[in-house]
Amino acid sequence: MKTVSIFRHAKSSWDDDKLKDFDRPLSTRGEKAAARMGAYMRAENIAPDVILCSSAVRTRATLRLALKKLDNEPATHFEDALYHAGAGAMLTMLRTLPETIGHVMIVGHNPGLHALALDLFGSGERDDALALARKFPTAALAQIEFDIAEWRRLGVGDGRLTRFVTPKTLGYA
């Protein structure tokens, strides 16, 4: 069994129009959402073995705030290649993971994360699947499980969506 958690960065700030997109920080709302999602992950015992995180400022900040709420701190790799990566590039990254890893979390950006999530799952709870098909909002978390032993066998449409959670579904705007 392999698990992929897909975590989109929280709401970023557009206050400084001189900043490059890569350097935009989180907004106050984003900071609160990242911490709340971290608390949710702790309550639900979501504990990835490894995290692959875009090196952009807003993804790093989202992850830092979420990790503060977790009991463990998984090995984390900051990847420049995840900054606006497409679904195909992320799928290739996943397929090259060591077999000792059972659960990986990707922290990144849309539209790539949304496309990856849509590509990976083929079944799951109907309401979650419909919500995910419509939108992958900031600070959203999708978790997809695969009945495989080797990452290289990760197939499009082979996963089961086991959760799709947003700050809004947790009662936070």
Side-chain angles (χ1 to χ4, degrees):
M1 178 73 71
K2 300 293 185 191
T3 302
V4 178
S5 291
I6 302 171
F7 186 28
R8 184 177 175 201
H9 68 78
K11 188 91 174 144
S12 59
S13 173
W14 292 87
D15 290 345
D16 187 348
D17 60 358
K18 293 180 183 131
L19 285 178
K20 293 179 182 176
D21 180 69
F22 184 90
D23 296 321
R24 286 189 295 114
L26 294 179
S27 67
T28 302
R29 178 177 155 199
E31 289 172 349
K32 290 176 184 174
R36 287 178 180 138
M37 291 302 287
Y40 169 81
M41 288 181 224
R42 179 180 181 180
E44 293 294 313
N45 202 24
I46 297 171
D49 300 316
V50 68
I51 297 173
L52 305 176
C53 182
S54 161
S55 54
V57 170
R58 62 190 176 275
T59 49
R60 293 172 73 105
T62 298
L63 181 58
R64 180 179 45 81
L65 290 166
L67 284 178
K68 281 184 181 182
K69 302 292 183 179
L70 300 183
D71 291 328
N72 68 324
E73 187 156 334
T76 301
H77 304 278
F78 295 100
E79 303 282 347
D80 290 338
L82 284 174
Y83 178 64
H84 292 306
M90 288 185 276
L91 184 58
T92 297
M93 286 178 125
L94 292 171
R95 285 179 175 154
T96 62
L97 288 170
E99 302 317 326
T100 54
I101 295 170
H103 183 178
V104 63
M105 177 179 283
I106 297 180
V107 184
H109 312 266
N110 268 354
L113 284 184
H114 192 195
L116 177 66
L118 292 173
D119 283 353
L120 289 179
F121 88 89
S123 66
E125 200 274 310
R126 185 177 185 273
D127 288 344
D128 283 348
L130 289 172
L132 175 56
R134 280 190 297 271
K135 185 177 182 184
F136 201 108
T138 54
L141 173 71
Q143 192 168 37
I144 304 167
E145 294 180 352
F146 299 84
D147 190 17
I148 56 172
E150 301 171 322
W151 286 105
R152 65 186 177 91
R153 300 213 183 274
L154 193 69
V156 171
D158 289 346
R160 183 173 56 88
L161 181 66
T162 57
R163 76 178 76 227
F164 181 61
V165 181
T166 69
K168 191 172 186 176
T169 60
L170 294 177
Y172 308 108

